[in-house]
Amino acid sequence: MLRIGVLVSGGGTNLQAILDGIDSGKIRNGKVEVVISNNEKAYALERAARRQIPAFCISPKSFADRARFHEALLKKLEEYALDLIVLAGFLVTIPPEMIRRYRNRIINIHPSLIPSFCGVGYYGLKVHEGALKRGVKVTGATVHFVDEGVDSGPILLQRAVEVEPGDTPGTLQKRVMEQAEWVILPKAIDMLANGELPLGEGE
């Protein structure tokens, strides 16, 4: 059974897609053991609590410096002996020591077809604003391993979504979530849990 930790900052729609995937059998041999947010008001924490999943807020604002925040975050994750960490809209930079500890065991979902509209500054609606401004006809989402860069780790899965006439950043964001993010994130977790994609050993 793959022991999963999910890190979130907001509403937790991708967390919900994971939980729904486990319920429906789309994710086999996986269980969410803990949910952590940097935002105490994140609705994702309530989603976890409803499912009786341990949920915590660990915010950089609660610590004297980033080093202590990083230490607290890593300590909490290690309490759950996790096999996989999923960044599901987690808007905090992952510390290098955590990446080393969980090398190729941290995945992220990004709302574009990497390498387009990714990297520093591209998050949330900004990704879709960039796609519309550029005039692309196709966008999508990417699941990738997390490394020391921003959206630069090895790609696991991608799914394309058409841009439609009259799209706004909001309508495009919704379609990308429904047609791509909520499809490939559970699929990637299932494949990792069942040996169909390689899972790292950490360092």
Side-chain angles (χ1 to χ4, degrees), residues 74 94-106 146-149 202-203:
L74 194 54
I94 301 300
E97 57 267 32
M98 182 172 151
I99 293 169
R100 288 192 297 269
R101 171 69 178 80
Y102 295 97
R103 176 74 64 188
N104 289 340
R105 286 181 175 269
I106 307 173
V146 174
D147 64 8
E148 286 81 358
E203 296 179 8

Side-chain angles (χ1 to χ4, degrees), residues 2-22:
L2 194 75
R3 297 174 61 86
I4 303 164
V6 183
L7 274 54
V8 293
S9 291
T13 54
N14 278 310
L15 168 63
Q16 191 64 53
I18 295 168
L19 297 174
D20 291 345
I22 292 170

Side-chain angles (χ1 to χ4, degrees), residues 28-42:
R28 301 159 292 158
N29 303 320
K31 182 183 178 185
V32 176
E33 298 287 346
V34 64
V35 173
I36 297 174
S37 178
N38 63 303
N39 174 13
E40 65 181 0
K41 296 180 180 179

Side-chain angles (χ1 to χ4, degrees), residues 8-104:
V8 293
S9 291
T13 54
N14 278 310
L15 168 63
Q16 191 64 53
I18 295 168
L19 297 174
D20 291 345
I22 292 170
D23 289 345
S24 68
K26 289 181 180 178
I27 297 176
R28 301 159 292 158
N29 303 320
K31 182 183 178 185
V32 176
E33 298 287 346
V34 64
V35 173
I36 297 174
S37 178
N38 63 303
N39 174 13
E40 65 181 0
K41 296 180 180 179
Y43 185 63
L45 294 173
E46 188 171 326
R47 292 182 194 268
R50 285 180 182 176
R51 299 289 291 261
Q52 298 181 316
I53 298 168
F56 304 93
C57 175
I58 302 177
S59 171
K61 297 176 183 177
S62 302
F63 298 89
D65 53 43
R66 280 289 170 133
R68 293 183 187 183
F69 162 67
H70 292 161
E71 182 181 347
L73 178 60
L74 194 54
K75 182 179 179 182
K76 180 58 69 176
L77 291 169
E78 290 181 340
E79 286 179 16
Y80 289 88
L82 300 172
D83 301 305
L84 178 70
I85 297 170
V86 180
L87 307 185
F90 190 58
L91 302 179
V92 177
T93 301
I94 301 300
E97 57 267 32
M98 182 172 151
I99 293 169
R100 288 192 297 269
R101 171 69 178 80
Y102 295 97
R103 176 74 64 188
N104 289 340

Side-chain angles (χ1 to χ4, degrees), residues 114 144-145 147-154:
I114 291 174
H144 64 93
F145 280 129
D147 64 8
E148 286 81 358
V150 180
D151 301 326
S152 58

